[in-house]
């Protein structure tokens, strides 16, 4: 990958959050937990839950429509659709194909990208290459998840963390700098720390797998916690240095919203002041690939990012994966 991606930028943003809110107090009635424990250990107060008839592509389409409207472009000019998700509608075809059909964008290339919580960042970087080399005029990148269908609602160590949502952006050529640099990485030897064991070719879904709850997300939270801080801080520093910048230049940091303590420790390690960090974890919990996408959309909508600001989006997730993007807004 080139160190610098010139003249590609975000020209539209949108998000969709399901209406139904599940609070920590609601969770107290389902598992042995408390609002106090969840808030202190994670920073989460509530999360959104998709209605039963909605799948990931439905959330994605609503976010995409909003991003297309926000960009002012014609949807026919979108040549590529990437959906970053770990909770696809089904194993095959890709969720992006359903999105393409529902949006009515005939012949656009479409595929899913699985890099867990780092997925939106990986997808933006992938799409930006196609724009930079003029393969497509515009790309639609969506981070969308319905994690509520993949958590075990009897497992208090995981079900309290996750929520559903979708965020989308349109990438295109811009006259001003846009995306300045990026850094991504991973460590597959740590794949066991976060996984949905059954439903793939390793362990096809079976009555036994269902009974053993292997279709649900399994996580070694403590181990991930330690690595997450180091991975996010390193990714942000490496991406900034590729752009010839340092943490002092950052006007707004959009971290993956997994745990407030991970975010606080990362921000401390980077030496960025807390008032420059955009947070929405309290309202939505961890929405995996949708987290940074929704946060970016909200940060812009709330006026937290002004023209000319240096913005860093950084995430880590299952895989393990990590990545950061530096943008000039
Ligand atoms: N309510 C009350 N008590 C609980 C709960 C709960 N919901 N969950 C766990 N506990 C208990 C545990 O049983 C344990 O009790 P014990 O000491 O009697 O054994 C105690 O609380 C401490 O448990 P820990 O797991 O050590 O708690 P920790 O402070 O590590 O917090 C957490 C757990 C929130 C999961 C944290 O480790 C974390 O956020 N990890 C990172 C998660 C993450 O970011 N995942 C990756 C992204 S997701 C993706 O990529 C899709």
């Amino acid at each position: 990958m080139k160190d610098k991606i010139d003249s590609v930028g975000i020209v539209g943003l949108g998000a969709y959050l399901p209406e139904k809110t599940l609070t920590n107090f609601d969770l107290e009635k389902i598992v042995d937990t408390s609002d106090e424990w969840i808030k202190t250990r994670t920073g989460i107060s509530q999360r959104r839950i998709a209605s039963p008839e909605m799948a990931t592509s439905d959330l994605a389409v609503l976010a995409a429509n909003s991003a297309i409207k926000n960009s002012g472009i014609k949807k026919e000019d979108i040549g590529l659709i990437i959906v970053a998700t770990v909770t696809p509608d089904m194993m095959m075809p890709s969720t992006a194909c359903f999105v393409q059909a529902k949006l009515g964008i005939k012949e656009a290339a479409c595929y899913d990208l699985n890099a867990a919580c780092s997925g939106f960042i990986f997808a933006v970087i992938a799409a930006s290459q196609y724009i930079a080399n003029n393969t497509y005029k515009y790309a639609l990148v969506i981070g969308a998840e319905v994690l509520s269908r993949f958590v075990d609602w009897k497992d208090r160590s995981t079900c309290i963390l996750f929520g559903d949502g979708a965020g989308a952006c349109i990438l295109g050529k811009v006259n001003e700098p846009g995306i300045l640099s990026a850094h991504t990485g991973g460590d597959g030897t740590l794949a066991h720390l976060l996984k949905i064991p059954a439903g793939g070719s390793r362990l096809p879904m079976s009555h036994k797998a269902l009974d053993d709850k292997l279709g649900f997300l399994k996580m070694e939270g403590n181990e991930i916690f330690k690595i997450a801080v180091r991975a996010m801080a390193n990714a942000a520093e490496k991406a900034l240095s590729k752009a010839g910048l340092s943490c002092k230049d950052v006007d707004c940091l959009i971290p993956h919203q997994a745990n407030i303590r991970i975010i606080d420790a990362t921000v401390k390690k980077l030496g960025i002041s807390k008032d420059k960090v955009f947070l929405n974890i309290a309202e939505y919990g961890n929405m995996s690939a949708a987290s940074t996408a929704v946060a970016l959309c909200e940060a812009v909508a709330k006026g937290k990012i002004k023209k000319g600001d240096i913005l860093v989006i950084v995430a880590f997730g299952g895989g393990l994966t990590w990545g950061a993007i530096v943008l000039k807004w």
Side-chain angles (χ1 to χ4, degrees):
M1 197 180 86
K2 268 169 65 182
D3 280 355
K4 284 195 173 192
I5 307 162
D6 290 323
S7 312
V8 180
I10 291 172
V11 300
L13 286 164
Y16 172 75
L17 282 316
E19 267 170 42
K20 186 181 168 191
T21 293
L22 186 75
T23 66
N24 293 348
F25 297 105
D26 297 327
L27 279 167
E28 284 181 359
K29 294 174 198 144
I30 303 172
V31 284
D32 180 14
T33 191
S34 66
D35 172 61
E36 208 258 327
W37 192 96
I38 302 172
K39 260 201 220 137
T40 1
R41 296 293 183 118
T42 71
I44 301 166
S45 296
Q46 57 184 49
R47 65 290 291 144
R48 300 294 181 91
I49 305 292
S51 54
E53 73 283 2
M54 287 187 100
T56 298
S57 67
D58 300 310
L59 276 63
V61 164
L62 290 163
N65 272 326
S66 155
I68 293 166
K69 193 170 171 211
N70 178 251
S71 70
I73 68 158
K74 291 203 291 283
K75 66 179 183 182
E76 294 72 29
D77 287 336
I78 294 171
L80 171 70
I81 301 169
I82 307 180
V83 176
T85 188
V86 288
T87 55
D89 285 23
M90 50 184 81
M91 281 286 284
M92 191 188 74
S94 72
T95 303
C97 287
F98 292 118
V99 170
Q100 190 235 42
K102 285 177 196 162
L103 288 174
I105 307 176
K106 284 194 182 133
E107 293 188 21
C110 35
Y111 65 91
D112 287 1
L113 188 151
N114 178 340
C117 304
S118 316
F120 181 68
I121 288 176
F122 276 58
V124 166
I125 295 166
S128 68
Q129 312 291 323
Y130 291 100
I131 305 296
N133 68 22
N134 299 312
T135 306
Y136 306 111
K137 190 170 177 198
Y138 293 109
L140 167 62
V141 175
I142 309 166
E145 304 282 9
V146 181
L147 284 150
S148 61
R149 309 262 158 83
F150 295 88
V151 295
D152 175 0
W153 289 102
K154 289 195 169 129
D155 174 9
R156 67 175 183 176
S157 69
T158 52
C159 75
I160 55 138
L161 297 170
F162 299 99
D164 304 336
C169 76
I170 307 285
L171 289 166
K173 283 274 175 70
V174 287
N175 294 328
E176 295 187 27
I179 297 173
L180 299 178
S181 63
H183 177 78
T184 46
D187 185 351
T189 66
L190 299 172
H192 57 282
L193 295 181
L194 186 56
K195 60 186 175 186
I196 299 174
S201 58
R202 176 71 57 203
L203 186 60
M205 196 49 80
S206 64
H207 288 294
K208 182 167 178 356
L210 278 177
D211 291 345
D212 293 344
K213 298 187 168 186
L214 297 177
F216 294 129
L217 195 142
K218 310 279 175 200
M219 184 177 75
E220 290 179 37
N222 265 320
E223 286 308 306
I224 294 175
F225 196 108
K226 290 177 222 156
I227 301 155
V229 175
R230 206 170 54 236
M232 289 223 287
N234 277 344
E237 276 169 347
K238 284 198 171 123
L240 278 163
S241 122
K242 285 179 187 177
L245 299 169
S246 77
C247 292
K248 289 196 288 293
D249 301 302
V250 177
D251 298 300
C252 182
L253 181 79
I254 299 195
H256 174 46
Q257 316 275 316
N259 184 316
I260 193 67
R261 292 184 294 140
I262 293 176
I263 296 173
D264 285 347
T266 306
V267 167
K268 197 171 165 201
K269 206 166 170 20
L270 290 170
I272 293 176
S273 80
K274 278 191 177 181
D275 61 325
K276 293 184 174 173
V277 182
F278 185 80
L279 297 173
N280 61 11
I281 185 169
E283 294 110 279
Y284 307 132
N286 180 351
M287 299 182 289
S288 191
S291 273
T292 45
V294 170
L296 173 62
C297 183
E298 289 198 339
V300 172
K302 289 182 175 172
K304 304 280 180 198
I305 303 166
K306 298 178 300 298
K307 193 169 161 40
D309 276 357
I310 297 295
L311 168 67
V312 176
I313 310 171
V314 62
F316 72 95
L320 296 183
T321 58
W322 51 81
I325 300 178
V326 181
L327 291 117
K328 187 165 183 182
W329 201 250

